[in-house]
Amino acid sequence: RKFLRCINHKKIQATNRNCEVTADVRHDGSEPLVDVMFADGERLIMKGANLTTIEMLTALRSRCNAKELQEEQKSKRKSP
């Protein structure tokens, strides 16, 4: 829930208008799970029972930074 609060913060949402956050809260005793679907179809699944909020945010930031780097490299290859 703390992770969801952080991601839904106005300042964070303002950094990427294309980001859509959907919460599916279940009370069936199942393990907390964060499933991130990126625009390119790749998924990042984090099991909340084993991670702190900071670890989850760090993992998400790391994946996003890697994706940005890949996009920059692709655009550099295409331009002469």
Side-chain angles (χ1 to χ4, degrees):
R1 291 181 183 185
K2 289 179 185 178
F3 177 81
L4 188 57
R5 245 184 280 137
C6 291
I7 295 298
N8 276 328
H9 195 275
K10 290 178 190 176
K11 289 182 180 179
I12 300 298
Q13 289 289 320
T15 63
N16 188 349
R17 301 264 182 214
N18 295 327
C19 178
E20 180 181 326
V21 177
T22 305
D24 180 14
V25 180
R26 298 181 185 179
H27 300 283
D28 59 1
S30 60
E31 179 180 6
L33 186 71
V34 175
D35 185 357
V36 179
M37 176 68 77
F38 293 95
D40 63 0
E42 186 180 342
R43 293 174 76 180
L44 170 63
I45 298 174
M46 298 179 280
K47 296 183 179 184
N50 302 325
L51 300 169
T52 66
T53 303
I54 297 298
E55 290 171 330
M56 292 166 70
L57 291 168
T58 302
L60 179 60
R61 180 194 299 141
S62 174
R63 186 68 63 92
C64 290
N65 288 344
K67 288 190 170 297
E68 281 183 17
L69 185 59
Q70 286 176 346
E71 287 299 317
E72 287 175 11
Q73 290 174 347
K74 283 182 185 177
S75 65
K76 285 182 182 178
R77 287 183 203 144
K78 290 181 182 178
S79 63

